[in-house]
Amino acid sequence: MKALTLGELDEAIGKDAFVLDARDDASFKQGFIPGSIFIGLEKRFEDWAFSLIPVTKPICIVAAAGDEEYVIGKIAGLGYQQILGFLEGGFETYLSSGKQVDLVIDVEADELALDIPFDENLTVVDVRKSSEYAEGHVLDAVSMPLSDMADVAVIAQLGENQNIYVHSTSGYRSLIAVSLLKKEGFHNVREVAGGWEQIKLQPTIKTEKDAKLLN
C-alpha cells in the first residue's frame, strides 16, 4: 500500500514497470497515462490481469479513490510480488501535472458501417474468442483473441498504416485490447461502442461465419 509520487511513478515507468489502470471504462476512455493498460474491476479483473501481465513485471496501480487497497489485494492474491504501489491522488495527480494524456476514440457501429466502403486501410480487429468469431464476424475481420495479445508478436502482425477498429462482444475486452495496442505504438485505433451486439444489427455491414472453426 505504498503511495507513489508522480516522480516515483515516472522513475518506475522508466525502468519498464507495468502501469495497471483499474478505473471504470468511462473514466479510462476520457484520459489515461500513455502506455498504461486498462483492466476494469467490473468484470473478470483477476482472469485478465493474470493472463496479460507477466508475473515477473513490477506493477504500479492507478485506481479510483478508495479502490487502491482492493486492487492491490486482488493482484497480490494472484502471486504478483513486485507491486510497487499506487499513484497517490490517482489519475487526477497525473492530469494536474500537465503531462501528456492519451485517450480512447469511440465510434458507433453505424459509423463503422459508413467508413468500411470508403477506407481501404480500415481493418476490423475482433478480440473475441475463436469460437465466438466462428459463429459470426465482420467480413475480412482479423481474429485476434484478447488472450493472445499478451504476446507482442501477435500485435505486431498489424500494419502501421492500418486504421484499426477494435470490437469484442459488448466492449469490455475491446477496451483492454485498445490499451494494449496503444502501448505497442498503434495509435490510429478506435473502439466500436457496443461491440458485436451492435455491429450485427447494421444491415450494410457484411458478416460471415467460419464453418471450419465451427466444426
Side-chain angles (χ1 to χ4, degrees), residues 9 22 27 32 38 45 67 72 79 92 99 112 128-129 132 162 167 189:
L9 178 69
S27 297
F32 60 92
F38 167 79
F45 173 79
D67 284 345
I72 289 174
E92 288 70 21
K99 289 179 174 289
L112 172 63
R128 298 175 298 157
K129 294 185 292 185
E132 295 172 287
Q162 292 173 300
H167 79 85
V189 181

Side-chain angles (χ1 to χ4, degrees), residues 7-64:
E8 289 172 324
L9 178 69
D10 286 341
E11 183 179 351
I13 292 173
K15 295 179 179 178
D16 202 29
F18 200 105
V19 180
L20 170 60
D21 194 318
R23 294 176 297 152
D24 64 272
D25 56 356
S27 297
F28 183 83
K29 288 179 182 181
Q30 291 170 7
F32 60 92
I33 298 171
S36 58
I37 300 302
F38 167 79
I39 305 179
L41 293 173
E42 63 266 30
K43 292 192 178 178
R44 294 169 50 201
F45 173 79
E46 291 159 291
D47 291 343
W48 288 120
F50 192 69
S51 296
L52 299 172
I53 305 174
V55 176
T56 55
K57 279 276 191 183
I59 300 174
C60 300
I61 303 295
V62 176

